[in-house]
Amino acid sequence: QVQLVESGGGSVQSGGSLRLSCAASGVAYNYVHMGWFRQAPGTGREGVAMSDSDGRVWYADSVKGRFTISRDSAKNTLYLQMDSLKPEDTAMYYCAVNNNAGLRGLYYLKNPDQMDYWGAGTSVTISS
């Protein structure tokens, strides 16, 4: 049974930082694509960052240079370091896994509905 548990969300001021974590179980951690997605109120879910099974990473243009995705294989945990946060980063952030990993992560970044498993999300609020 696949379980993804996010943590690390919270409320910070603009310019601040947060680090999100996603503890994964029930997946072949080193052989799947994993990523972070977000959904602001009244909007659709959008890709933020993806980590391919081979280590390649992908970012949405809106977060390039500010967010960093990484994996800790020893802990089966995915991270998202978020720096220089802006009010428009306010959203529910979700961790997700694609078991097939047949395409590059960039495809899944743009097509969140193709991810196989999702966590329950962690809330991020950035005040100006």
Side-chain angles (χ1 to χ4, degrees), residues 10-14 18 38-44 46 66-67 82 85-93 122-128:
S11 298
V12 298
Q13 289 190 324
S14 181
L18 286 171
R38 66 187 182 187
Q39 186 167 17
T43 70
E46 65 170 350
R66 301 189 297 121
F67 290 11
M82 305 188 296
L85 283 161
K86 305 176 181 180
E88 51 263 44
D89 294 318
T90 294
M92 185 69 77
Y93 283 71
T122 186
S123 179
V124 172
T125 302
I126 312 302
S127 57
S128 57

Side-chain angles (χ1 to χ4, degrees), residues 17-63:
S17 298
L18 286 171
R19 188 175 84 151
L20 306 184
S21 299
C22 172
S25 60
V27 297
Y29 184 80
N30 291 326
Y31 299 96
V32 298
H33 292 342
M34 298 186 71
W36 289 98
F37 298 79
R38 66 187 182 187
Q39 186 167 17
T43 70
R45 196 166 291 188
E46 65 170 350
V48 175
M50 282 291 299
S51 171
D52 281 8
S53 56
D54 64 0
R56 191 163 181 178
V57 297
W58 311 86
Y59 295 96
D61 288 342
S62 59
V63 306

